[in-house]
Amino acid sequence: MGKLVSTVFVTLDGVYQAPGGPQEDTRGGFTHGGWSFTFGDEDFGRFVAEVFGRAGAFLLGRRTYDIFAGYWPKVTEASHPIASPLNALPKYVVSATLQAPEWSGTTVISGDLAKEVRALKERTDGELQVHGSGALVRSLIDLRLLDTLHLLTFPVVLGTGHRLFPDGTAPTRFRHTGGRVTAAGISLQTYDLTGDPEYGSYELPEDA
């Protein structure tokens, strides 16, 4: 059974919208697209290549799928650490409207998300990976289906944009399992989902 692993790029204020380019995702009049580009050093590239090297299949939200499908099929270098697995491995896109995907190896998921994803995890050798796809990631966390989150935090604040964890996100506890910081300052942290938060208090006992 494969693990369900998510990799998300965020700013210091939690924005995940359009890290890769100005036209990637302009929802809400967003004008800061491409905010991750200048931080892409060798440390970052090595980490991303390591992640993609563990992939057995991909599960993507519709918006991220469309962005990927418009770019990665054009990268035909057989040894490319990202394009090669993306083009060769099974891709599952969650959508109620996509009818005939043109990217080879794509299957559309439009039914019960929990049921479909559990079945995908059962039959995937290697990791079932989610990249970007913030709304989908939140749904998978809410359903307690996500196993691991790679959260890549970039040293920039934008002040606007879609946040990965907005108000209303399901309360969730994670366990930190590893991390490092790149030379350019990207914090690469890995967390395993462990369930609901636990609570306590720093208040002194009344008889203290």
Side-chain angles (χ1 to χ4, degrees), residues 32-111:
H32 300 291
W35 48 265
S36 76
F37 181 77
T38 59
F39 299 99
D41 60 7
E42 289 185 10
D43 292 340
F44 168 73
R46 191 179 306 112
F47 179 84
V48 172
E50 289 170 359
V51 169
F52 275 90
R54 295 189 292 269
F58 298 96
L59 175 66
L60 303 169
R62 174 64 188 275
R63 190 178 304 277
T64 300
Y65 174 83
D66 285 345
I67 292 169
F68 279 18
Y71 183 85
W72 290 112
K74 301 172 186 176
V75 182
T76 57
E77 180 187 341
S79 61
H80 194 285
I82 299 174
S84 181
L86 273 175
N87 288 321
L89 293 172
K91 291 165 288 290
Y92 302 93
V93 54
V94 179
S95 174
T97 57
L98 183 61
Q99 299 293 326
E102 297 181 2
W103 196 1
S104 176
T106 298
T107 301
V108 178
I109 292 177
S110 57

Coordinates of all heavy atoms in Angstrom, one line a residue, residues 32-111:
H32 N 1.2 38.4 -7.8 CA 2.5 38.1 -7.3 C 3.0 36.7 -7.8 O 3.9 36.2 -7.2 CB 2.5 38.1 -5.7 CG 2.1 39.4 -5.1 ND1 2.9 40.5 -5.2 CD2 1.0 39.7 -4.5 CE1 2.3 41.5 -4.5 NE2 1.1 41.0 -4.1
G33 N 2.5 36.2 -8.9 CA 2.8 34.9 -9.4 C 4.3 34.8 -9.7 O 4.9 35.8 -10.2
G34 N 4.9 33.7 -9.4 CA 6.4 33.5 -9.7 C 7.2 33.8 -8.5 O 8.5 33.8 -8.6
W35 N 6.6 33.9 -7.3 CA 7.4 34.3 -6.1 C 8.4 33.2 -5.6 O 9.3 33.6 -4.9 CB 6.4 34.6 -4.9 CG 5.4 33.5 -4.7 CD1 4.1 33.6 -5.2 CD2 5.5 32.4 -3.9 NE1 3.4 32.4 -4.8 CE2 4.2 31.7 -4.0 CE3 6.5 31.8 -3.1 CZ2 4.0 30.5 -3.3 CZ3 6.3 30.6 -2.5 CH2 5.0 29.9 -2.6
S36 N 8.4 32.0 -6.1 CA 9.3 31.0 -5.6 C 10.6 31.0 -6.5 O 11.6 30.4 -6.1 CB 8.7 29.6 -5.6 OG 8.6 29.1 -7.0
F37 N 10.5 31.5 -7.7 CA 11.5 31.3 -8.7 C 12.9 31.7 -8.3 O 13.9 30.9 -8.5 CB 11.1 32.1 -10.0 CG 12.1 31.9 -11.1 CD1 12.1 30.7 -11.9 CD2 13.0 32.9 -11.4 CE1 13.0 30.5 -12.9 CE2 13.9 32.7 -12.5 CZ 13.9 31.5 -13.2
T38 N 13.1 32.8 -7.7 CA 14.5 33.3 -7.4 C 15.2 32.5 -6.3 O 16.4 32.7 -6.1 CB 14.5 34.8 -7.1 OG1 13.7 35.0 -5.9 CG2 13.9 35.6 -8.2
F39 N 14.4 31.7 -5.6 CA 15.0 30.9 -4.5 C 15.4 29.5 -5.0 O 15.9 28.7 -4.1 CB 14.0 30.8 -3.4 CG 13.6 32.1 -2.8 CD1 12.4 32.7 -3.1 CD2 14.5 32.8 -1.9 CE1 12.1 33.9 -2.6 CE2 14.1 34.0 -1.3 CZ 12.9 34.6 -1.7
G40 N 15.2 29.2 -6.2 CA 15.5 27.8 -6.7 C 16.9 27.4 -6.9 O 17.4 27.4 -8.0
D41 N 17.6 27.2 -5.8 CA 19.0 26.8 -5.9 C 19.2 25.3 -5.9 O 18.3 24.6 -6.1 CB 19.8 27.4 -4.7 CG 19.3 26.9 -3.3 OD1 18.4 26.0 -3.3 OD2 19.7 27.4 -2.3
E42 N 20.5 24.9 -5.9 CA 20.8 23.5 -6.0 C 20.2 22.6 -4.9 O 19.7 21.5 -5.1 CB 22.3 23.2 -6.1 CG 23.0 23.7 -7.3 CD 24.5 23.4 -7.4 OE1 24.9 22.6 -6.5 OE2 25.1 23.9 -8.3
D43 N 20.2 23.2 -3.7 CA 19.6 22.4 -2.5 C 18.1 22.2 -2.8 O 17.6 21.1 -2.5 CB 19.7 23.3 -1.2 CG 21.1 23.4 -0.8 OD1 22.0 22.6 -1.2 OD2 21.4 24.3 0.0
F44 N 17.4 23.2 -3.3 CA 16.0 23.0 -3.6 C 15.8 22.0 -4.7 O 14.9 21.1 -4.6 CB 15.5 24.4 -4.0 CG 14.1 24.4 -4.6 CD1 13.0 24.1 -3.8 CD2 13.9 24.6 -6.0 CE1 11.7 24.1 -4.4 CE2 12.7 24.6 -6.5 CZ 11.5 24.3 -5.8
G45 N 16.6 22.1 -5.8 CA 16.4 21.2 -6.9 C 16.7 19.8 -6.5 O 16.0 18.8 -6.9
R46 N 17.7 19.6 -5.6 CA 18.0 18.2 -5.1 C 16.8 17.6 -4.3 O 16.5 16.5 -4.5 CB 19.3 18.3 -4.3 CG 19.9 16.9 -3.9 CD 21.1 17.0 -3.1 NE 22.1 17.9 -3.8 CZ 22.5 19.1 -3.3 NH1 22.0 19.6 -2.2 NH2 23.4 19.8 -4.0
F47 N 16.2 18.4 -3.4 CA 15.1 18.0 -2.6 C 13.9 17.6 -3.5 O 13.3 16.5 -3.3 CB 14.7 19.0 -1.6 CG 13.5 18.6 -0.8 CD1 13.7 17.9 0.4 CD2 12.2 19.0 -1.1 CE1 12.7 17.5 1.2 CE2 11.2 18.6 -0.3 CZ 11.4 17.9 0.8
V48 N 13.6 18.4 -4.5 CA 12.5 18.1 -5.3 C 12.7 16.9 -6.2 O 11.8 16.0 -6.3 CB 12.2 19.3 -6.3 CG1 11.1 19.0 -7.3 CG2 11.7 20.5 -5.4
A49 N 13.9 16.7 -6.6 CA 14.3 15.5 -7.4 C 14.1 14.2 -6.5 O 13.7 13.2 -7.0 CB 15.7 15.6 -8.0
E50 N 14.6 14.4 -5.3 CA 14.4 13.2 -4.4 C 12.9 12.8 -4.2 O 12.6 11.7 -4.2 CB 15.0 13.6 -3.0 CG 16.6 13.7 -3.0 CD 17.1 14.2 -1.7 OE1 16.3 14.6 -0.8 OE2 18.3 14.4 -1.6
V51 N 12.1 13.9 -4.0 CA 10.7 13.6 -3.8 C 10.1 12.9 -5.1 O 9.4 11.9 -4.9 CB 9.9 14.9 -3.6 CG1 8.4 14.7 -3.7 CG2 10.3 15.5 -2.2
F52 N 10.3 13.4 -6.2 CA 9.8 12.8 -7.4 C 10.3 11.4 -7.7 O 9.7 10.6 -8.3 CB 10.0 13.7 -8.7 CG 9.0 14.8 -8.8 CD1 9.1 16.1 -8.2 CD2 7.8 14.6 -9.6 CE1 8.2 17.0 -8.4 CE2 6.9 15.6 -9.7 CZ 7.0 16.8 -9.1
G53 N 11.5 11.2 -7.2 CA 12.1 9.9 -7.4 C 11.4 8.8 -6.6 O 11.6 7.6 -6.9
R54 N 10.6 9.1 -5.6 CA 9.8 8.2 -4.8 C 8.4 8.0 -5.3 O 7.6 7.2 -4.7 CB 9.8 8.6 -3.4 CG 11.2 8.6 -2.7 CD 11.1 8.8 -1.2 NE 10.6 10.2 -0.9 CZ 11.4 11.2 -0.6 NH1 12.8 11.1 -0.7 NH2 10.9 12.4 -0.3
A55 N 8.0 8.6 -6.4 CA 6.7 8.6 -6.8 C 6.3 7.3 -7.5 O 7.1 6.7 -8.2 CB 6.4 9.8 -7.8
G56 N 5.1 6.9 -7.2 CA 4.5 5.7 -7.9 C 3.3 6.1 -8.8 O 3.0 5.5 -9.8
A57 N 2.7 7.2 -8.4 CA 1.5 7.8 -9.1 C 1.3 9.2 -8.6 O 1.8 9.6 -7.5 CB 0.3 6.9 -9.0
F58 N 0.5 10.0 -9.3 CA 0.2 11.3 -8.9 C -1.3 11.6 -8.8 O -2.1 11.1 -9.6 CB 0.8 12.3 -9.9 CG 2.3 12.2 -10.1 CD1 2.9 11.5 -11.1 CD2 3.1 12.9 -9.2 CE1 4.3 11.4 -11.2 CE2 4.5 12.8 -9.3 CZ 5.1 12.0 -10.3
L59 N -1.7 12.3 -7.8 CA -3.1 12.7 -7.5 C -3.1 14.2 -7.5 O -2.4 14.8 -6.7 CB -3.6 12.1 -6.2 CG -5.0 12.5 -5.8 CD1 -6.0 12.0 -6.7 CD2 -5.2 12.1 -4.3
L60 N -3.8 14.9 -8.4 CA -3.8 16.3 -8.6 C -5.1 16.9 -8.6 O -6.1 16.3 -9.1 CB -3.0 16.7 -9.9 CG -1.6 16.1 -10.0 CD1 -1.1 16.3 -11.5 CD2 -0.6 16.8 -9.0
G61 N -5.2 18.2 -8.1 CA -6.4 18.9 -8.3 C -6.5 19.4 -9.7 O -5.5 19.5 -10.4
R62 N -7.7 19.9 -10.1 CA -7.9 20.3 -11.5 C -7.0 21.4 -11.9 O -6.4 21.4 -13.0 CB -9.3 20.6 -11.8 CG -9.6 21.2 -13.2 CD -9.4 20.2 -14.3 NE -9.5 20.8 -15.6 CZ -10.6 20.9 -16.3 NH1 -11.8 20.5 -15.7 NH2 -10.7 21.4 -17.5
R63 N -6.9 22.4 -11.1 CA -6.1 23.6 -11.5 C -4.6 23.2 -11.6 O -3.9 23.6 -12.6 CB -6.2 24.7 -10.4 CG -5.6 26.1 -10.8 CD -5.9 27.1 -9.8 NE -7.3 27.2 -9.5 CZ -8.2 27.9 -10.2 NH1 -7.8 28.6 -11.2 NH2 -9.5 28.0 -9.8
T64 N -4.0 22.5 -10.7 CA -2.6 22.1 -10.8 C -2.4 21.2 -11.9 O -1.4 21.3 -12.7 CB -2.2 21.4 -9.5 OG1 -2.3 22.3 -8.4 CG2 -0.7 21.0 -9.5
Y65 N -3.4 20.3 -12.2 CA -3.3 19.4 -13.3 C -3.2 20.2 -14.6 O -2.3 19.9 -15.5 CB -4.5 18.4 -13.4 CG -4.5 17.6 -14.6 CD1 -3.7 16.4 -14.7 CD2 -5.2 17.9 -15.7 CE1 -3.7 15.6 -15.8 CE2 -5.2 17.2 -16.9 CZ -4.5 16.0 -16.9 OH -4.4 15.2 -18.1
D66 N -4.0 21.2 -14.8 CA -4.0 21.9 -16.0 C -2.7 22.7 -16.2 O -2.1 22.8 -17.3 CB -5.2 23.0 -16.0 CG -6.5 22.3 -16.3 OD1 -6.5 21.1 -16.7 OD2 -7.5 23.0 -16.0
I67 N -2.1 23.2 -15.1 CA -0.8 23.9 -15.1 C 0.3 22.9 -15.6 O 1.1 23.2 -16.5 CB -0.5 24.5 -13.8 CG1 -1.4 25.7 -13.5 CG2 1.0 25.0 -13.8 CD1 -1.4 26.2 -12.1
F68 N 0.3 21.7 -14.9 CA 1.3 20.7 -15.2 C 1.1 20.2 -16.7 O 2.1 20.0 -17.4 CB 1.2 19.5 -14.3 CG 1.8 19.8 -12.9 CD1 2.2 21.0 -12.5 CD2 2.1 18.7 -12.1 CE1 2.8 21.2 -11.2 CE2 2.7 18.9 -10.9 CZ 3.0 20.1 -10.4
A69 N -0.1 19.9 -17.1 CA -0.4 19.4 -18.4 C 0.0 20.3 -19.5 O 0.3 19.9 -20.6 CB -1.9 19.0 -18.5
G70 N 0.0 21.6 -19.2 CA 0.4 22.6 -20.2 C 1.9 22.8 -20.3 O 2.4 23.5 -21.2
Y71 N 2.7 22.2 -19.4 CA 4.1 22.4 -19.4 C 4.9 21.1 -19.5 O 5.8 21.0 -20.4 CB 4.5 23.1 -18.1 CG 5.9 23.4 -17.9 CD1 6.5 24.6 -18.5 CD2 6.8 22.6 -17.3 CE1 7.8 24.9 -18.4 CE2 8.2 22.9 -17.2 CZ 8.7 24.0 -17.7 OH 10.0 24.3 -17.6
W72 N 4.7 20.1 -18.6 CA 5.6 19.0 -18.5 C 5.6 18.0 -19.7 O 6.6 17.4 -20.0 CB 5.3 18.2 -17.2 CG 5.7 19.0 -16.0 CD1 5.0 19.5 -15.1 CD2 7.1 19.4 -15.7 NE1 5.7 20.3 -14.1 CE2 7.0 20.2 -14.5 CE3 8.3 19.2 -16.3 CZ2 8.2 20.7 -13.9 CZ3 9.5 19.7 -15.6 CH2 9.4 20.5 -14.5
P73 N 4.5 17.8 -20.4 CA 4.6 17.0 -21.6 C 5.5 17.5 -22.7 O 6.0 16.8 -23.6 CB 3.1 17.0 -22.2 CG 2.3 17.2 -21.0 CD 3.1 18.2 -20.2
K74 N 5.8 18.8 -22.6 CA 6.7 19.4 -23.6 C 8.2 19.2 -23.2 O 9.1 19.5 -24.1 CB 6.5 20.9 -23.7 CG 5.0 21.3 -24.1 CD 4.8 22.8 -24.0 CE 3.3 23.1 -24.3 NZ 3.1 24.6 -24.1
V75 N 8.4 18.8 -22.0 CA 9.8 18.5 -21.6 C 10.1 17.0 -21.8 O 9.6 16.1 -21.1 CB 10.0 18.8 -20.1 CG1 11.4 18.6 -19.6 CG2 9.6 20.3 -19.8
T76 N 10.8 16.7 -22.9 CA 10.9 15.3 -23.3 C 12.2 14.6 -23.0 O 12.5 13.5 -23.4 CB 10.7 15.2 -24.8 OG1 11.7 16.1 -25.5 CG2 9.3 15.7 -25.2
E77 N 13.1 15.3 -22.2 CA 14.3 14.7 -21.8 C 14.1 13.5 -20.9 O 13.4 13.6 -19.9 CB 15.2 15.7 -21.0 CG 16.5 15.2 -20.5 CD 17.2 16.3 -19.6 OE1 16.8 17.4 -19.7 OE2 18.1 15.9 -18.9
A78 N 14.5 12.3 -21.4 CA 14.2 11.1 -20.7 C 14.7 11.0 -19.2 O 14.1 10.3 -18.4 CB 14.8 9.9 -21.5
S79 N 15.8 11.7 -19.0 CA 16.4 11.6 -17.6 C 16.0 12.8 -16.7 O 16.5 12.9 -15.6 CB 17.9 11.6 -17.7 OG 18.4 12.7 -18.4
H80 N 15.0 13.6 -17.2 CA 14.6 14.7 -16.4 C 14.0 14.3 -15.1 O 13.0 13.5 -15.1 CB 13.7 15.6 -17.2 CG 13.5 17.0 -16.5 ND1 12.7 17.2 -15.4 CD2 14.0 18.2 -16.9 CE1 12.7 18.5 -15.1 NE2 13.5 19.1 -16.0
P81 N 14.4 14.7 -13.9 CA 13.9 14.2 -12.6 C 12.5 14.4 -12.3 O 11.9 13.7 -11.5 CB 14.9 14.8 -11.6 CG 15.3 16.1 -12.2 CD 15.5 15.8 -13.7
I82 N 11.9 15.5 -13.0 CA 10.5 15.8 -12.7 C 9.6 15.3 -13.9 O 8.6 14.7 -13.8 CB 10.3 17.3 -12.5 CG1 11.1 17.7 -11.2 CG2 8.8 17.6 -12.3 CD1 11.1 19.2 -10.9
A83 N 10.0 15.7 -15.1 CA 9.2 15.4 -16.3 C 9.1 13.9 -16.5 O 8.0 13.4 -16.9 CB 9.8 16.1 -17.5
S84 N 10.2 13.2 -16.3 CA 10.2 11.8 -16.6 C 9.1 11.0 -15.8 O 8.2 10.3 -16.4 CB 11.5 11.2 -16.4 OG 11.5 9.8 -16.7
P85 N 9.1 11.1 -14.5 CA 8.0 10.4 -13.8 C 6.6 11.0 -14.0 O 5.7 10.3 -14.1 CB 8.4 10.6 -12.3 CG 9.4 11.7 -12.3 CD 10.1 11.7 -13.6
L86 N 6.5 12.3 -14.2 CA 5.2 12.9 -14.4 C 4.6 12.4 -15.8 O 3.4 12.1 -15.9 CB 5.3 14.4 -14.5 CG 5.1 15.1 -13.1 CD1 5.4 16.6 -13.3 CD2 3.8 14.9 -12.5
N87 N 5.4 12.3 -16.8 CA 4.9 11.8 -18.1 C 4.7 10.3 -18.1 O 3.9 9.9 -18.9 CB 5.9 12.3 -19.2 CG 5.9 13.8 -19.4 OD1 4.8 14.4 -19.4 ND2 7.0 14.4 -19.7
A88 N 5.5 9.6 -17.4 CA 5.4 8.1 -17.5 C 4.5 7.5 -16.5 O 3.9 6.4 -16.8 CB 6.8 7.5 -17.3
L89 N 4.3 8.0 -15.3 CA 3.5 7.4 -14.3 C 2.0 7.7 -14.4 O 1.7 8.7 -15.0 CB 4.1 7.7 -12.9 CG 5.5 7.2 -12.6 CD1 6.0 7.9 -11.3 CD2 5.5 5.7 -12.5
P90 N 1.2 6.9 -13.7 CA -0.3 7.2 -13.7 C -0.6 8.5 -13.0 O 0.0 8.9 -12.0 CB -0.9 6.0 -12.9 CG 0.1 4.9 -13.0 CD 1.5 5.6 -13.1
K91 N -1.5 9.3 -13.6 CA -1.9 10.5 -13.1 C -3.4 10.5 -12.8 O -4.2 10.1 -13.7 CB -1.6 11.7 -14.0 CG -0.1 11.9 -14.1 CD 0.3 12.8 -15.3 CE 0.1 12.1 -16.7 NZ 1.1 11.0 -16.9
Y92 N -3.9 10.9 -11.7 CA -5.3 10.9 -11.3 C -5.7 12.4 -11.0 O -5.0 13.0 -10.2 CB -5.6 10.0 -10.1 CG -5.2 8.6 -10.4 CD1 -3.9 8.1 -10.0 CD2 -6.0 7.7 -11.1 CE1 -3.5 6.8 -10.3 CE2 -5.6 6.4 -11.3 CZ -4.3 6.0 -10.9 OH -3.9 4.7 -11.2
V93 N -6.7 12.9 -11.7 CA -7.1 14.3 -11.5 C -8.5 14.3 -10.9 O -9.4 13.6 -11.5 CB -6.9 15.1 -12.8 CG1 -7.7 14.5 -13.9 CG2 -7.4 16.5 -12.6
V94 N -8.7 15.1 -9.9 CA -10.0 15.2 -9.2 C -10.8 16.3 -9.9 O -10.4 17.5 -9.8 CB -9.9 15.5 -7.7 CG1 -11.3 15.6 -7.1 CG2 -9.1 14.3 -7.0
S95 N -11.8 15.9 -10.6 CA -12.6 16.9 -11.4 C -14.0 16.4 -11.7 O -14.1 15.3 -12.0 CB -11.9 17.3 -12.7 OG -12.7 18.2 -13.4
A96 N -14.9 17.3 -11.6 CA -16.3 17.0 -12.0 C -16.6 17.4 -13.4 O -17.7 17.1 -13.9 CB -17.3 17.6 -11.0
T97 N -15.7 18.1 -14.0 CA -16.0 18.6 -15.4 C -15.0 18.2 -16.5 O -15.4 18.2 -17.6 CB -15.9 20.2 -15.3 OG1 -14.6 20.6 -14.9 CG2 -17.0 20.7 -14.4
L98 N -13.8 17.7 -16.1 CA -12.9 17.3 -17.1 C -13.4 16.0 -17.8 O -13.6 15.0 -17.1 CB -11.5 17.1 -16.5 CG -10.3 16.7 -17.4 CD1 -10.1 17.8 -18.5 CD2 -9.1 16.4 -16.6
Q99 N -13.5 16.0 -19.1 CA -14.1 14.8 -19.8 C -13.0 14.0 -20.5 O -13.0 12.8 -20.4 CB -15.1 15.3 -20.8 CG -16.3 16.1 -20.2 CD -17.2 15.2 -19.3 OE1 -17.3 14.0 -19.6 NE2 -17.7 15.7 -18.2
A100 N -12.2 14.6 -21.3 CA -11.2 13.9 -22.1 C -9.8 14.4 -22.0 O -9.3 15.2 -22.9 CB -11.7 13.9 -23.6
P101 N -9.1 14.1 -20.9 CA -7.8 14.6 -20.7 C -6.8 14.2 -21.8 O -6.8 13.0 -22.2 CB -7.4 14.1 -19.3 CG -8.2 12.9 -19.2 CD -9.5 13.2 -19.8
E102 N -6.0 15.1 -22.3 CA -5.1 14.8 -23.4 C -3.8 14.3 -22.9 O -3.0 13.6 -23.7 CB -4.9 16.0 -24.3 CG -6.2 16.5 -24.9 CD -5.9 17.8 -25.8 OE1 -4.7 18.2 -25.9 OE2 -6.9 18.3 -26.4
W103 N -3.4 14.5 -21.7 CA -2.1 14.1 -21.1 C -2.1 12.6 -20.9 O -3.0 12.0 -20.2 CB -1.8 14.8 -19.8 CG -0.4 14.7 -19.4 CD1 0.7 14.1 -20.0 CD2 0.1 15.3 -18.2 NE1 1.8 14.3 -19.3 CE2 1.5 15.0 -18.1 CE3 -0.4 16.0 -17.1 CZ2 2.3 15.4 -17.1 CZ3 0.4 16.4 -16.1 CH2 1.8 16.1 -16.1
S104 N -1.2 11.9 -21.6 CA -1.2 10.4 -21.6 C -1.1 9.9 -20.1 O -0.3 10.4 -19.3 CB 0.0 9.9 -22.4 OG 0.1 8.5 -22.3
G105 N -1.9 8.8 -19.8 CA -1.8 8.2 -18.5 C -2.7 8.9 -17.5 O -2.6 8.6 -16.3
T106 N -3.6 9.7 -17.9 CA -4.5 10.4 -17.0 C -5.8 9.7 -16.8 O -6.5 9.3 -17.8 CB -4.8 11.9 -17.5 OG1 -3.5 12.6 -17.5 CG2 -5.7 12.6 -16.5
T107 N -6.3 9.6 -15.5 CA -7.6 9.1 -15.2 C -8.3 10.2 -14.4 O -7.7 10.7 -13.5 CB -7.5 7.8 -14.4 OG1 -6.8 6.8 -15.1 CG2 -8.9 7.3 -14.0
V108 N -9.6 10.4 -14.7 CA -10.3 11.4 -14.0 C -11.1 10.8 -12.8 O -11.7 9.7 -13.0 CB -11.3 12.1 -14.9 CG1 -12.2 13.2 -14.1 CG2 -10.6 12.9 -16.1
I109 N -11.0 11.4 -11.7 CA -11.8 10.9 -10.5 C -12.9 11.9 -10.2 O -12.6 13.1 -10.0 CB -10.8 10.8 -9.2 CG1 -9.8 9.7 -9.4 CG2 -11.7 10.6 -8.0 CD1 -8.8 9.6 -8.3
S110 N -14.1 11.5 -10.3 CA -15.2 12.4 -10.1 C -16.2 11.8 -9.1 O -17.2 12.5 -8.8 CB -16.0 12.6 -11.4 OG -16.4 11.4 -12.0
G111 N -15.9 10.6 -8.5 CA -16.9 10.0 -7.5 C -16.5 10.4 -6.1 O -16.0 11.4 -5.8

